[in-house]
Amino acid sequence: MPKKSDNVKKAARTSAETGLASYRRPREPINLVIFGGAGDLAWRKLIPALFDLFKDGCTPESFAVTILDAAPIRESDLLKRFHDGVRQFSQNRLRESDWKEFSRHISYAKEDFTDKSTYSRLSEQLAAMEKGWDARAVSIYYLATPPRFFSIIADMLGKAGLNRKRKHARILLEKPIGHDLKSTLEINRVITARFHESQIFRIDHYLGKETVRNILAFRFANLLFEPVWDRRYVDHISITVAEQVGLERRGSYYESAGALRDMVQNHLLQLLCLIAMEPPVSFDADEVRNKKVDVLHAVRRYPVELTGDYAVRGQYGPGRMDGRKVPGYREEPGVAPGSNTETFAALRLFIDNWRWQDVPFYLRTGKRLGKQTSEIVIHFRPVPHQSFPLEATINWMPVSLTLCIQPREGIVLRFQAKRPGAEVVLQPVTMHFSYRDAFGLPSPDAYKTLLWDLMIGDATIFMRADQVEAAWSILMPVLEYWDTHPAADFPNYAAGSWGPKDAETLVARQGCIWPFPTSLPPVHPAVML
Ligand code: BG6
């Protein structure tokens, strides 16, 4: 058995090697129970991220991962599947000796989440673990299940007394949290009846992305940008999360979700919060979440019948992606032939407060778009007076700042420079900051960060009940309108294009255009911010 000090040294060394200097080994033992853990999420994200934490010496010395699922699968087969997931998705090279050591911590039980006896067996198992470790463990109940199980599981955990130790029991809900405001209120009501808010972690994996976490660092650790971060200097802001992928075998889920529920309600509105929030007094979890929820409360609401003025929906038809033909949404497995589900959504929002009054925020997201890219562009106003002669300003473009969230990670500032030569000719140029060039390492996967925060009990990058509810309340009129007024023009964009024409019109009304995806240079940039 390795000595504790050896492990701590190993943790420090491996964390430093991977650039994760601040990750440390949680002190208390952890019992992680994943409900629905035989599904895709555990295979693709959770187990590979846990493996990475394990490799970095950032899992506690004593920990167990218990997978509970209704799937009729043998433990050995599930472990083979996890092995394959780690091979494909871990950020570390998979060495068999590491896998052997790591997989000893994982067990599987086929269980019915609605059955009382499941929870008494779980309770006995958790107690036995603690006895074996001779220490009190933190139990984490990770609900990687469809939302219809959230209330049932929370309730059953409560009845079995597994919620009682407030500092030693946490529950995590995967998105989607609810289907609309009403169902979310009900989930929150049941969960909060069984668990204290400080025990509840609601995940939005975008908040675990390094580039998303950097938004607050960029805004509030640099004096330069914050003074111009308001309606006096900003013309409009656009947030794009464009995906090239289609449904990836999730037809039946997506049919009942659509782009607005799947992406806007959570990921895009969280990005909006980070861009628009006021400076927090501290990075205390509730302080940050208070400031974010203030943004959501300030988003202008419209009556249902005005939906068409600020919201656009789309659905992809057949098209070409990277030179190959791809089917339309209605031809995807699990999708109804006349489906009315949107695979694209764009919104124009206003935030009614002193900082942002009348500044449009354009949000768009879609599947099967021309390029995979997530970026936020702050478009600054033109200069108040153009002193240069007209011929010098032919190429003139306003200053913009682009936060590249993924797949390239960095920041690009565009401004004007004088082109070298006798004549004064202005030309837009860019300065780049690229994570890879600055830090030399790939950023940790979002789930690694989220799981680590979950283990140490830091809820700052998780969503509070009121945030989720406020986000739903913004979208309810749109959902209501779209549900009751089926789209007459679906499919209205070809796979591989940039979405429906109406999305262009939405921004053109204020004289704007959607920005073309910014690319960071592939080699070392000449200038770094
Ligand atoms: C998930 C959505 O929350 O986010 C998926 O359910 C989407 O539909 C995914 O593809 C996108 O995440 P990422 O990290 O690949 O941008």
Side-chain angles (χ1 to χ4, degrees), residues 74-338:
R74 282 200 308 243
E75 185 176 278
S76 55
D77 289 335
L78 186 64
L79 286 174
K80 271 192 211 141
R81 189 165 144 73
F82 286 161
H83 178 274
D84 169 69
V86 170
R87 191 178 47 74
Q88 286 192 55
F89 305 116
S90 154
Q91 291 184 314
N92 284 286
R93 202 162 42 83
L94 174 59
R95 283 215 318 253
E96 288 309 317
S97 52
D98 292 331
W99 172 254
K100 213 166 151 197
E101 218 185 305
F102 171 71
S103 59
R104 280 194 298 117
H105 296 266
I106 306 177
S107 64
Y108 174 66
K110 179 177 176 309
E111 294 286 10
D112 175 354
F113 303 150
T114 61
D115 186 347
K116 209 170 134 202
S117 67
T118 298
Y119 300 84
S120 38
R121 274 191 295 280
L122 179 62
S123 178
E124 281 163 23
Q125 183 188 333
L126 298 184
M129 296 280 194
E130 289 193 334
K131 198 157 174 234
W133 294 330
D134 192 20
R136 184 179 249 211
V138 175
S139 297
I140 300 175
Y141 309 109
Y142 196 120
L143 274 46
T145 64
R148 67 176 187 280
F149 286 113
F150 289 177
S151 303
I152 300 171
I153 296 173
D155 202 39
M156 298 291 241
L157 287 168
K159 285 187 181 137
L162 289 166
N163 57 346
R164 270 192 218 124
K165 301 175 281 177
R166 192 180 282 191
K167 288 212 164 10
H168 286 84
R170 295 175 199 146
I171 186 163
L172 182 137
L173 312 185
E174 258 296 338
K175 77 156 265 274
I177 297 167
H179 184 71
D180 52 18
L181 181 58
K182 191 167 165 236
S183 54
T184 303
L185 286 168
E186 178 56 14
I187 290 172
N188 283 340
R189 187 188 65 74
V190 177
I191 307 268
T192 50
R194 292 298 184 182
F195 289 84
H196 185 262
E197 186 62 41
S198 62
Q199 297 176 280
I200 308 171
F201 290 68
R202 297 176 189 80
I203 215 166
D204 179 323
H205 78 276
Y206 266 58
L207 298 179
K209 290 181 192 279
E210 246 351 280
T211 44
V212 173
R213 300 181 77 199
N214 188 47
I215 295 173
L216 294 191
F218 180 76
R219 286 190 58 196
F220 302 130
N222 299 298
L223 184 66
L224 196 56
F225 303 101
E226 204 46 30
V228 295
W229 208 264
D230 64 26
R231 64 190 305 275
R232 291 169 305 160
Y233 295 94
V234 175
D235 185 76
H236 65 283
I237 293 182
S238 57
I239 302 179
T240 299
V241 177
E243 296 189 277
Q244 278 195 310
V245 291
L247 288 194
E248 298 178 300
R249 295 181 287 129
R250 296 197 307 155
S252 62
Y253 152 73
Y254 201 84
E255 269 288 83
S256 65
L260 209 60
R261 288 187 171 92
D262 186 47
M263 297 292 287
V264 180
Q265 191 274 340
N266 32 75
H267 308 324
L268 277 89
L269 287 180
Q270 286 299 320
L271 295 177
L272 174 78
C273 288
L274 292 167
I275 287 296
M277 68 189 259
E278 293 301 319
V281 172
S282 70
F283 279 90
D284 168 72
D286 270 327
E287 168 62 5
V288 173
R289 297 191 291 183
N290 288 342
K291 293 290 190 287
K292 285 167 73 177
V293 94
D294 282 349
V295 173
L296 296 175
H297 285 150
V299 171
R300 193 177 299 167
R301 309 299 205 261
Y302 298 93
V304 175
E305 59 279 10
L306 291 188
T307 295
D309 286 358
Y310 70 104
V312 168
R313 59 184 151 168
Q315 187 190 76
Y316 64 85
R320 293 191 84 81
M321 314 258 337
D322 295 330
R324 72 191 163 88
K325 275 189 177 168
V326 293
Y329 176 73
R330 290 178 176 180
E331 288 98 62
E332 299 268 17
V335 173

Side-chain angles (χ1 to χ4, degrees), residues 273-464:
C273 288
L274 292 167
I275 287 296
M277 68 189 259
E278 293 301 319
V281 172
S282 70
F283 279 90
D284 168 72
D286 270 327
E287 168 62 5
V288 173
R289 297 191 291 183
N290 288 342
K291 293 290 190 287
K292 285 167 73 177
V293 94
D294 282 349
V295 173
L296 296 175
H297 285 150
V299 171
R300 193 177 299 167
R301 309 299 205 261
Y302 298 93
V304 175
E305 59 279 10
L306 291 188
T307 295
D309 286 358
Y310 70 104
V312 168
R313 59 184 151 168
Q315 187 190 76
Y316 64 85
R320 293 191 84 81
M321 314 258 337
D322 295 330
R324 72 191 163 88
K325 275 189 177 168
V326 293
Y329 176 73
R330 290 178 176 180
E331 288 98 62
E332 299 268 17
V335 173
S339 171
N340 185 46
T341 302
E342 82 285 356
T343 58
F344 176 99
L347 297 177
R348 185 189 61 234
L349 300 178
F350 288 100
I351 297 173
D352 289 332
N353 64 15
W354 273 57
R355 187 190 279 263
W356 295 118
Q357 194 66 40
D358 294 334
V359 175
F361 286 77
Y362 295 110
L363 278 55
R364 71 172 165 170
T365 184
K367 296 219 178 268
R368 289 282 191 228
L369 294 182
K371 189 170 172 186
Q372 189 214 347
T373 179
S374 298
E375 48 182 53
I376 302 168
V377 187
I378 321 293
H379 305 263
F380 289 91
R381 287 182 184 280
V383 289
H385 168 65
Q386 194 57 275
S387 328
F388 297 93
L390 193 62
E391 54 280 16
T393 61
I394 297 278
N395 301 319
W396 184 88
M397 290 170 102
V399 170
S400 69
L401 180 79
T402 304
L403 308 182
C404 306
I405 306 295
Q406 63 184 26
R408 300 301 306 275
E409 301 177 322
I411 295 177
V412 178
L413 179 67
R414 184 185 69 198
F415 56 99
Q416 321 304 311
K418 179 191 160 302
R419 193 191 287 167
E423 291 185 18
V424 177
V425 179
L426 299 177
Q427 182 170 321
V429 291
T430 52
M431 288 203 292
H432 303 94
F433 148 66
S434 143
Y435 273 74
R436 193 170 276 270
D437 289 335
F439 301 113
L441 291 160
S443 299
D445 183 79
Y447 272 93
K448 182 174 178 180
T449 305
L450 290 159
L451 283 171
W452 189 73
D453 277 17
L454 176 65
M455 288 197 289
I456 62 164
D458 183 347
T460 314
I461 59 170
F462 292 85
M463 295 178 296
R464 216 171 44 190

